[in-house]
Amino acid sequence: WTQLLADFSAMASCNSVWDIPGIKAGVVTGDVAWSILEFAKAKKFAIPAFNVTSSSTIVAVLEAAKKINSPIMIQFSQGGAQFMAGKALDNGDHAASILGSVAGARLVRAIAPSYGVPVILHSDHCSKKLLPWFDGMLEADEEYFRACGEPLFSSHMLDLSEEPDEENIAICKKYLGRMKKINQILEMEIGITGGVEHGMDNSGVSKDKLYSTPEDVYKVHEALSPISEKFTIAAAFGNVHGAYKPGNVKLRPELLVEYQKFAAEKTGKEKPLFLVFHGGSGSEMSEIEAAIDAGAVKMNVDTDTQWAYWEGVLKYYKEKEAYLQGPLGNPEGEDKPNKSYYDPRKWLREAEGSMVTRVANQCKILRNMDKCAK
């Protein structure tokens, strides 16, 4: 633990992300990506991970990251990756999802450096039935590692929370051993996040499953830490996927403090856990702040940015409705062309602009602002 304490102290003394050894603009992996998470925990902020489904949503996230001058996470779900490749493709054995993930990752790698901030490239919830998708991405990571000395993705998530804890942890151990060889980060989930998302319906789960115990969480740390330090834990503290009014989700962020305290007593290290916050829509600001203070370094964001993207189109349509009823004819004349209004670049840009604002606002909420200031 002496080295871990030294690493944490080193991150606490950094004033900027640019102080991290090996840091660069664009996709970062391995020790550099892990150091960003250490920096976040030491400085008490969290990095939001935004789900993307297209080049347009990727650009929106990167533009916001440049605007707020801070590191960002971009992540692909299995369904989002399939959409990235094209819904017309056969997704048997998750082939289209694998293709879309790899294509999306390569696009992010190609354009992210131009936005001037570090990017952690991640894949979202992978349940047991989706493991062939996970395997396909790992094969691409290993191929990229052989060619470039680093994996294609910075990290991946296994969500085996529907399985018995023993099986969940055993599968995570197997995959973390494989990922360690390419210096990659694993995110795992213990306990269940309620609601419905990415093909997983936990809306009817019993309430006790929505709250992990300190013993549950420590079992994960105890099993994975001998393999690699590079893992994060999405522990359940009442989280629910989807959109809810503030106050309707009964979060218990004080549980995160209990997880850290229990693990600290076992390891002798202060706040040894790297925690992840899922299902944050509808959370009170005080709950989010408490989670960050307890060591949450990542928060997933999807529902809110989906609405923001659509709302950009909705507002544009309402404003320009008279110009969007046909190729010709508008208030300026029945033969006047409307091409400049229905051009996809016009209304998609409105969607991007709305999403940029929402992404930047989420970064502000998570205290992830100007972390790249020099």
Side-chain angles (χ1 to χ4, degrees):
W1 296 111
T2 302
Q3 184 58 49
L4 287 175
L5 287 169
D7 292 343
F8 184 79
S9 177
M11 289 303 105
S13 65
C14 290
N15 294 316
S16 167
V17 166
W18 297 118
D19 294 334
I20 295 173
I23 198 71
K24 64 176 182 178
V27 174
V28 293
T29 64
D31 295 345
V32 177
W34 187 250
S35 291
I36 291 177
L37 299 184
E38 289 180 318
F39 180 71
K41 186 161 74 164
K43 295 297 186 180
K44 293 188 176 181
F45 71 95
I47 303 171
F50 296 99
N51 285 72
V52 295
T53 56
S54 63
S55 61
S56 179
T57 51
I58 288 170
V59 165
V61 175
L62 291 173
E63 182 178 340
K66 180 180 180 181
K67 182 178 179 180
I68 54 99
N69 196 29
S70 286
I72 209 79
M73 290 193 192
I74 287 177
Q75 62 186 20
F76 294 89
S77 68
Q78 184 263 357
Q82 180 189 7
F83 188 85
M84 187 84 191
K87 292 287 284 187
L89 294 182
D90 181 9
N91 204 27
D93 294 326
H94 307 281
S97 292
I98 295 167
L99 176 62
S101 298
V102 172
R106 288 185 173 273
L107 174 60
V108 174
R109 279 188 167 273
I111 65 177
S114 297
Y115 286 83
V117 296
V119 176
I120 293 176
L121 189 54
H122 185 66
S123 66
D124 202 7
H125 295 265
C126 177
S127 61
K128 189 176 180 179
K129 66 184 179 182
L130 301 182
L131 284 175
W133 169 54
F134 197 95
D135 291 332
M137 289 188 293
L138 266 187
E139 290 172 9
D141 286 319
E142 290 162 343
E143 181 181 349
Y144 197 87
F145 186 89
R146 288 190 292 270
C148 304
E150 65 175 352
L152 180 63
F153 282 82
S154 313
S155 54
H156 294 293
M157 183 199 179
L158 283 173
D159 181 359
L160 305 171
S161 57
E162 293 180 318
E163 314 308 321
D165 287 354
E166 294 74 17
E167 183 180 1
N168 179 355
I169 294 171
I171 295 174
C172 286
K173 284 178 66 176
K174 182 186 77 170
Y175 276 102
L176 184 59
R178 182 176 171 184
M179 295 166 74
K180 180 184 178 181
K181 297 175 183 177
I182 55 176
N183 205 12
Q184 195 171 46
I185 301 167
L186 171 68
E187 177 186 336
M188 68 85 64
E189 182 162 339
I190 191 81
I192 291 177
T193 299
V196 180
E197 187 159 80
H198 308 311
M200 297 178 67
D201 185 354
N202 295 327
S203 55
V205 71
S206 61
K207 289 186 177 180
D208 64 303
K209 295 290 186 181
L210 298 177
Y211 301 95
S212 301
T213 67
E215 291 81 6
D216 293 336
V217 177
Y218 184 68
K219 278 192 300 185
V220 176
H221 186 273
E222 190 176 35
L224 299 186
S225 58
I227 301 171
S228 170
E229 67 173 346
K230 293 183 176 68
F231 64 92
T232 60
I233 304 173
F237 58 105
N239 325 56
V240 179
H241 285 135
Y244 301 87
K245 290 182 179 180
N248 280 10
V249 177
K250 304 303 180 184
L251 290 180
R252 294 183 57 198
E254 70 274 11
L255 285 177
L256 302 183
V257 177
E258 293 181 21
Y259 304 153
Q260 294 284 20
K261 183 179 179 181
F262 187 87
E265 291 172 353
K266 294 289 187 179
T267 63
K269 180 179 182 290
E270 183 182 3
K271 290 185 181 177
L273 307 175
F274 286 77
L275 300 170
V276 175
F277 190 154
H278 286 186
S281 297
S283 301
E284 301 282 358
M285 188 65 192
S286 60
E287 294 169 334
I288 294 174
E289 290 177 340
I292 296 172
D293 289 340
V297 296
K298 172 182 180 277
M299 181 174 178
N300 283 11
V301 185
D302 189 15
T303 301
D304 293 341
T305 45
Q306 286 179 348
W307 173 257
Y309 193 84
W310 158 246
E311 190 175 36
V313 178
L314 177 63
K315 288 182 176 179
Y316 176 73
Y317 179 81
K318 287 182 176 180
E319 180 184 349
K320 305 295 184 182
E321 184 174 2
Y323 295 83
L324 296 168
Q325 302 309 305
L328 297 173
N330 59 51
E332 297 171 27
E334 60 182 21
D335 60 345
K336 294 293 184 180
N338 295 318
K339 186 179 185 305
S340 62
Y341 296 96
Y342 64 76
D343 185 328
R345 291 171 295 182
K346 184 68 176 182
W347 49 268
L348 281 175
R349 182 56 189 160
E350 296 298 322
E352 289 172 4
S354 180
M355 185 170 170
V356 166
T357 299
R358 185 62 186 85
V359 170
N361 184 58
Q362 190 67 39
C363 289
K364 183 177 181 180
I365 290 170
L366 300 183
R367 308 171 184 165
N368 183 36
M369 301 287 287
D370 286 320
K371 301 304 179 183
C372 292
K374 295 182 179 180

